[in-house]
């Protein structure tokens, strides 16, 4: 857990402009990495960089460094929910998206006119060049004129990027494209200028060699088409994050001194009361102060069943109030809300890199120089061995065009973008690309019982008074001290105490202290009150409860209840027994985890009888149940499994689960749990259903599989294409179409993730 809690460098998010391929990514990362202490991770589809910056390095220094590498950069506005913008309900949602998401649409718009002009002019060039029946006197000059706007204006994005990189001593896939297109056109034009009458008569043989105007035009058009399709697909892949950010409410009905006033949601501050009517979105995270209703949280959690809320319930911003009127006290606003945290996690995950992506990056870094060398060798060998300049030229141009590593650069980030975006729609947050590898490797999943397998909504079953206090007074004192705790057991005792006293307030507690896995203590109305488990109570009192009290305690536990002792002023005063219920989807969820090849292990601080009853109900084998485990014991349980060779995932939702979540090879936080659990976890499911845990693992594995498919096809395409082109077996026009098709194939393959169903 140290790496998550240690002080980290400052994080700067940059929007990078002008990148076109994996070579550009490497170039920007390498330049930024030369600044001492700076580590950058650049994402090509999002055209962004996540930079870890030590003290003493300014944002301007980063921007200047990127500019010196030949690209543009600016500090990115942080992703935030629409509510934070404070703009009107009817305004364009797209404006609330982060610049990285919005920026992927711009290339498609700017490329379209160039693509249209290229396509319109390329068709006649191909006809008069390739179809003998379409030849007419001096058709070569017409082909040269028609192809000129295509290889200059339409292909300008390639030439410009190649020139910028050349000025900085670099080369990218644009270098290959620019060289290929320019060489084909210039070679043909030189042929024509050397012999102006080369095409003077239709059907005549060209003694000096072939013309390649149609090759230059077709290659440009195909590459523009591929890049335009890529840009549109990137925009689709980023839709999920934009949709997530747009889910926030934009207006809130502020309630102040009994007067309702409509204000922008971002003007709420913690402590404000606001009204939520049926059908409205809850403006921000808060606690219900008046009213009761059912809240539809499906937009965030993916769960379709509305959750009942009443006074004291916690509600999340962007969820929808379906029935009654609620008055909510704002507790978190702006960037502190759950929605903003989700957007942050998704954005960070999309800019991270899986270990497998580093291999692709290293290959891309040396790819272009190697291809240029292969091109030169191909040209020379064909000229020396074959003796024909047109054949040598055709083979060299084909190598240049087929070798563009565009698909290689897109393979990993576009898959991660689509997978994490789909996850956010399903209420599944993947913390980083490394998580994908972890989900593939895990074979055991440790499940915390309370809140994960069971509802965590305990209810007091029985109260046994063992001293001078009656059951009502005993419950009142226990409820008072437990009211300061967030544990589900504490909430149940507190609620029961309030109900037993007709909703009257409980007395205050001072000197409250919580011992994780043991119990709580505090002073209530001058009396020292302890509520906790047997060994902890015995330790606090200095002696174990007497045999009669212990027999009653054992009887409650053997009946399947969770029992705790209550001690007042240094003596055992009674026992409170509580019961929990298994969540409806837990048995099916555990079945799905088994189907994914995972062995479920139930670990709980509860007694063995309760643990065995729950395990039997959900289908966990008796030998895979560990009961009476303290929080630090959960960490030990995970370590024991790991030392036995298991790769362990851990699912939990409470503060006491955080160390075990961090220790596990894959930590999964259930969304209904605490912020601490979410911070310690690698995966977060916003719902509290084990089926979502299974879906999260399945989606992560699917994303990794898609990325591997993308990388395979990208490597396969280049490994096969370059030798074929060098042997003169590939026409440059076909090479251009194949290069564009490979990029489109990678993007289309990744977009299958957007249709993933749990």
């Amino acid at each position: 857990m140290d790496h998550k809690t240690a002080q980290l460098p400052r994080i700067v998010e940059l929007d990078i402009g002008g990148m076109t391929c994996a070579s550009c990514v490497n170039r920007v990362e390498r330049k930024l990495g030369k600044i001492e202490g700076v580590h950058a991770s650049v994402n090509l589809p999002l055209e962004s960089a996540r930079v870890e910056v030590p003290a003493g390095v300014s944002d301007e220094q980063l921007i200047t460094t990127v500019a010196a590498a030949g690209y543009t950069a600016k500090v990115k506005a942080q992703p935030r929910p629409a509510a934070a913008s404070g703009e009107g309900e009817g305004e364009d949602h797209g404006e609330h998206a982060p610049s990285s998401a919005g920026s992927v649409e711009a290339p498609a718009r700017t490329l379209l006119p160039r693509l249209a002009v290229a396509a319109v002019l390329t068709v006649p060039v191909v006809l008069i060049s390739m179809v003998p029946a379409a030849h007419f006197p001096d058709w070569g000059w017409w082909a040269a004129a028609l192809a000129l706007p295509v290889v200059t204006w339409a292909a300008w994005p390639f030439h410009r990027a190649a020139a910028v990189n050349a000025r900085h001593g670099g080369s990218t896939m644009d270098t290959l494209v620019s060289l290929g297109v320019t060489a084909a056109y210039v070679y043909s034009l030189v042929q024509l200028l050397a012999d102006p009458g080369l095409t003077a008569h239709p059907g005549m043989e060209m003694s000096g060699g072939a013309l390649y105007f149609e090759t230059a035009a077709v290659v440009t058009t195909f590459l523009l088409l591929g890049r335009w399709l890529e840009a549109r697909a990137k925009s689709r892949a980023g839709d999920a994050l934009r949709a997530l950010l747009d889910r926030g409410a934009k207006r809130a009905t502020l309630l102040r001194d009994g007067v309702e006033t409509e204000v922008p949601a971002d003007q709420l501050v913690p402590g404000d009361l606001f009204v939520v009517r049926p059908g409205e979105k809850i403006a921000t995270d808060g606690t219900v102060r008046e009213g009761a209703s059912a809240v539809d949280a499906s937009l965030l959690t993916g769960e379709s069943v509305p959750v009942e809320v009443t006074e004291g319930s916690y509600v999340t911003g962007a969820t929808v109030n379906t029935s009654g009127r609620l008055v909510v006290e704002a507790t978190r606003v702006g960037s502190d809300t759950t929605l903003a945290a989700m957007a942050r996690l998704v954005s960070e995950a999309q800019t991270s890199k899986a270990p497998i992506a580093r291999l692709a990056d290293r290959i891309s870094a040396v790819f272009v120089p190697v291809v240029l060398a292969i091109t030169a060798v191909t040209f020379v060998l064909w000229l020396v061995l074959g003796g024909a300049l047109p054949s040598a030229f055709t083979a060299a141009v084909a190598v240049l065009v087929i070798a563009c590593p565009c698909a290689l650069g897109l393979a990993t980030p576009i898959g991660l973008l689509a997978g994490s975006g789909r996850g956010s729609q399903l209420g599944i947050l993947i913390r980083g690309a490394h998580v994908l590898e972890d989900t593939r490797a895990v074979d055991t999943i440790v499940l915390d019982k309370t809140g994960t397998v069971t509802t965590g909504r305990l209810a007091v079953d029985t109260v046994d008074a063992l001293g001078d206090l009656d059951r009502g007074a005993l419950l009142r004192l226990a409820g008072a001290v437990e009211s300061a705790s967030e544990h589900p057991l504490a909430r149940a005792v507190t609620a029961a105490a309030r109900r037993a006293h007709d909703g009257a307030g409980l007395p205050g507690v001072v000197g409250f202290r919580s011992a994780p896995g043991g119990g709580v203590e505090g002073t209530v109305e001058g009396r020292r009150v302890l509520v906790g488990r047997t060994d902890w109570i015995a330790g606090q009192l200095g002696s174990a409860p007497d045999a009669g009290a212990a027999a009653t305690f054992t009887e409650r536990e053997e009946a399947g209840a969770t029992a705790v002792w209550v001690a007042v002023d240094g003596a055992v005063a009674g026992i409170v027994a509580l019961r929990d219920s298994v969540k409806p989807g837990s048995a099916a969820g555990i079945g799905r985890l088994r189907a994914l090849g995972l062995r479920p292990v139930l670990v709980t601080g509860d007694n063995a009888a309760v643990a065995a009853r729950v395990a039997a109900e959900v289908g966990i084998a008796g030998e895979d149940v560990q009961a009476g485990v303290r929080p630090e014991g959960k960490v030990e349980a995970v370590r024991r499994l790991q030392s036995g060779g298991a790769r362990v995932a851990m699912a939990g939702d409470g503060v006491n689960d955080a160390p075990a979540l961090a220790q596990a090879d894959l930590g999964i936080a259930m969304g209904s749990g605490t912020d601490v659990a979410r911070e310690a976890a690698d995966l977060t499911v916003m719902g509290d259903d084990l089926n979502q845990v299974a879906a999260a693992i399945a989606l992560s594995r699917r994303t990794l599989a898609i990325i591997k498919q993308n990388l395979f096809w990208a490597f396969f395409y280049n490994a096969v294409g370059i030798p074929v082109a060098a042997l003169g077996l590939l026409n440059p026009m076909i090479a251009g179409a194949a290069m564009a098709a490979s990029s489109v194939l990678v993007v289309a393959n990744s977009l299958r993730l957007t249709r993933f169903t749990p």
Side-chain angles (χ1 to χ4, degrees), residues 153 187 420 496 557:
W153 181 77
Y187 174 83
S420 58
E557 286 197 332

Side-chain angles (χ1 to χ4, degrees), residues 642-706:
Q642 288 173 325
S643 63
R647 297 280 291 178
V648 181
M650 164 81 191
D653 72 334
V655 174
N656 60 358
D657 297 325
L661 288 173
Q663 173 63 36
D665 299 295
L666 177 70
I668 305 170
M670 307 290 280
S672 58
T674 62
D675 292 346
V676 178
R678 287 185 218 172
E679 282 300 312
D682 302 302
L683 271 175
T684 296
V685 293
M686 297 306 293
D688 59 0
D689 188 344
L690 277 179
N691 283 290
Q692 268 197 316
V693 174
I697 293 173
L699 174 62
S700 298
R701 288 181 174 179
R702 182 70 177 151
T703 302
L704 183 63
I706 290 286

